[in-house]
Every structure is written in C-alpha cells, then in structure tokens.
Amino acid sequence: MIVGVPKEIKEQENRVALTPAGVDALVRAGHKVIVETNAGMGAGFSDEEYKSIGAEILPEAAKVWEQSDMIMKVKEPLKSEYKYFKKDLIIFTYLHLAAEEELTKALVESGAVAIAYETVQNPDRSLPLLTPMSEVAGRMAVQQGSIYLEKTRGGKGLLIDGVPGVPPAHVVVVGAGIVGTGAIRRAIGLGARVTVLDINVDRLRYLGEVFMGRLETLYSNNYNLTQAVKTADLVVGAVLIPGAKAPKLVTEEMVKLMEPGSVLVDVAIDQGGCMETTYPTTHADPIFMKHDVVHYAVANIPGAVPRTSTLALTNVTLPYAVRIANKGWKQALIDEEPLRKGANVLDGKIVYKSVADAFDMSYTPVEEVLGM
C-alpha cells in the first residue's frame, strides 16, 4: 500500500501524522510512504530524516494525495483539500464530523473511506487514539488559561496559585474524563483551588481519592454548574460524547454571572463546543471577549506543542495504520471491532450514527457495508 503524509494546512498546525520511526515501520512492513516536503518540519523532523529511512519526498500536496492509497493526517481536511477526495481513498485522521457538515457531505459524495482517530473505541469504552491528545489538551487548557488571567491579556490579574496571604485562583473543570483529569492535574500542580463537575459519581469518587482531598467534586446539574461557574476565575470545558456534538452545558446566562476578566477555555470546541458563547479560534488569534469574559477556543490546542503531541499521537496511531496497510481497510475493519468503530463514512454511506443524527442524514450500520 502507498501511504501518503501531506503537510498540515490548518493555521498554526505543526504536528505531522508520521514520525521517521513510523515511516520505518511501514517500509519494513513492505509499504511505500510518500511525504510532502517539510511536512514534519514544524515538529522537528527534516525531509532528510524521512528520506534516510525510505520515504519518498514530494514537493506538492496534490501529488501526495493523488498517488496515495491511504492518507494519514492529524487534523480534519480543510475545504481546499476536498478536491483530492476519491473513491476508496482511505483517510485516517481526526475528523470530528459531527461538527463538520460540509466535510461530511464531501466524504459521502466522494466515496472515500473515512476512519476517524477520535471514534476508535476499545471494549471498555476508552478512546485510544484520542487519549494522548486529550491529555495534552487538558494540561494546555490550564496552562493557557493561567496566562490569560494576566491583566495584560485581558484577565483579572490573578496569579493562579496566589502567594502567602493571598488565595489562589478558582479553577472549575466541567467533565472528569481524560481532558478533565489532565486539567485537574495541571491546576492542582500549579497550586490552584480546583472544582470538578461530572454526572459519574464513581469517577468523582476516584478522582477525589487520587488527589487526596485537594480536589472539590460536585455532581453536575444546572444548579451546581451555575454556582461553580459564577465563582470561577477559570473554567475548562472538558465534555465529550464520542463522535457526537458536545452538549452546551455552560450557558450564556452562566457566563453573564462571571466576574469581568474571568477566563473560559472550551476544549470541546472541535466537537462544536460545550459553552454557548464560544466559537473556534486559532493559535494566531486565540481569544475573544464576550460579556467581559476572556474566551479561549482554539480547535487544535495540542498543535502549540507539536513535538510532544506528534510523538504521543503517533505512538498510538501507528499500530492501527500498519494493520490497515497490511490487511486493507475492509479486512482490518472486519477483524477489529475497535477500529470498526472508527469508521465514519464508507462507500458513500455514513456508518457512525451520531454523525448521521447531527445532520439528519441517512445512517447505515457499518456491519451492513462490510457484509458482516
């Protein structure tokens, strides 16, 4: 199989879908890898490193897309890349289709095979290809949020851990999953006062024990969330429904209750956002003000630390990519249920129900398309 790695074109996105080690693994398995010029430069991998272990370097993205049987990316294809879609082309990347109607329709019309990192799911419901980026995003959410608490960035002018005689900032984390846990870990490590809300009491109990009383836990309902947001200096939105649009839990009315200069970080923005007042921003222009509250809603937060993020991501995506290349997409999906859950669009049909439901489009069970 020919595996292509185009350069990411989303603004300020410096991650790359394959490291030289990943190329080496695919080449050793008998496959050809083509990489667009400078695709790995932002993450610190040169064209020479790729060439030295057997990759072919092509100067144009169009050639990479045209010659490949499988395209590996990090972020969802942008509109300028839709023209490269073709029947049976495997696109293996983060897709977040429930928030991308135009992309969904383009994939359906093209007949491409769209397998999303974020919906590959193990029997225990864990999301192995989303987890490392969620860990990065959770940590980064607090790191960036603490910066925007500075008065010179539009914030209240708070030091997140205070100083002797001065209380620390209050960080509220909405959602106790992987992103939320990463945010909690960083916030507690920085010395903040931290509250987490979730509807899973067992998860709250677990986190309370892990952080040994340094974490306040609240059952998530409208009343508790309103009270917590109202008193928060920094709110991290960390809510996820795999493959579906995020629910809007933090309402505009809640935001209006916050003190001027408070900060919201919506990590769920690439799934539509879990806050009513947010819309996607970029690393080049990461914030906006609404109701005197700083909103940070960058859709590719881990792109700010591309070296760490690329290494963490490719550690988990590469084994799946090798198996897809070795078996072909159809047999790989038949053989592996976790990978089968990653299928979003096959043969012109939406095979992930949450995506079809998001746009009131026709849904076909993946097993039907695979003839299982």
Side-chain angles (χ1 to χ4, degrees), residues 14-324:
N14 289 301
R15 289 173 290 179
V16 64
L18 275 181
T19 62
V23 171
D24 181 65
L26 283 162
V27 170
R28 287 178 180 275
H31 306 289
K32 179 179 179 180
V33 181
I34 52 180
V35 178
E36 185 182 352
T37 300
N38 293 329
M41 192 63 68
F45 302 112
S46 69
D47 290 347
E48 286 303 315
E49 287 181 84
Y50 286 111
K51 285 175 66 176
S52 69
I53 39 85
E56 180 181 349
I57 306 298
L58 294 181
E60 299 175 14
K63 294 294 184 183
V64 175
W65 283 85
E66 179 185 315
Q67 295 182 27
S68 299
D69 301 308
M70 176 165 66
I71 289 289
M72 290 189 68
K73 283 176 49 59
V74 177
K75 290 302 292 177
E76 71 282 350
L78 300 185
K79 192 171 183 178
S80 63
E81 296 172 305
Y82 296 177
K83 61 180 177 287
Y84 301 134
F85 296 172
K86 58 189 178 185
K87 185 171 175 56
D88 294 330
L89 172 66
I90 305 164
I91 301 173
F92 191 34
T93 186
Y94 288 118
L95 288 169
H96 302 294
L97 292 186
E100 295 283 352
E101 184 173 7
E102 191 174 2
L103 172 57
T104 302
K105 290 179 176 178
L107 289 167
V108 168
E109 291 167 4
S110 70
V113 175
I115 304 173
Y117 293 163
E118 73 274 8
T119 62
V120 173
Q121 189 173 56
N122 288 325
D124 64 0
R125 299 182 61 82
S126 63
L127 304 167
L129 307 192
L130 186 62
T131 294
M133 293 304 92
S134 296
E135 290 170 333
V136 172
R139 289 162 167 78
M140 288 288 294
V142 173
Q143 183 170 307
Q144 295 301 104
S146 65
I147 290 172
Y148 288 101
L149 278 173
E150 296 174 9
K151 192 68 175 179
T152 52
R153 305 296 183 102
K156 287 182 173 181
L158 292 180
L159 184 64
I160 195 164
D161 55 345
V163 292
V166 179
H170 182 202
V171 176
V172 170
V173 179
V174 185
I178 301 298
V179 171
T181 302
I184 292 164
R185 184 186 304 276
R186 178 58 56 88
I188 288 177
L190 289 174
R193 171 194 166 202
V194 185
T195 302
V196 61
L197 295 98
D198 201 283
I199 59 173
N200 186 335
V201 176
D202 288 338
R203 182 66 180 174
L204 294 177
R205 182 179 296 112
Y206 167 77
L207 290 176
E209 292 172 355
V210 166
F211 291 104
M212 301 174 67
R214 299 174 65 194
L215 174 67
E216 301 169 14
T217 62
L218 279 177
Y219 184 80
S220 185
N221 55 38
N222 185 73
Y223 179 83
N224 285 344
L225 186 56
T226 300
Q227 296 305 308
V229 169
K230 182 169 66 174
T231 62
D233 301 306
L234 166 61
V235 178
V236 176
V239 178
L240 172 72
I241 301 175
K245 292 192 77 169
K248 302 287 187 183
L249 297 183
V250 178
T251 67
E252 186 162 4
E253 291 307 310
M254 294 178 191
V255 175
K256 288 178 180 178
L257 296 173
M258 299 179 75
E259 293 182 358
S262 300
V263 179
L264 296 176
V265 179
D266 194 346
V267 185
I269 196 64
D270 52 9
Q271 287 289 109
C274 63
M275 301 172 175
E276 282 189 344
T277 51
T278 53
Y279 57 79
T281 61
T282 67
H283 288 295
D285 189 15
I287 66 165
F288 62 91
M289 300 292 294
K290 188 164 187 176
H291 304 308
D292 295 322
V293 173
V294 181
H295 290 63
Y296 180 98
V298 174
N300 61 326
I301 293 175
V305 286
R307 182 77 176 191
T308 296
S309 296
T310 292
L311 291 168
L313 178 62
T314 57
N315 284 343
V316 294
T317 57
L318 179 62
Y320 290 90
V322 171
R323 294 199 291 275
I324 293 170

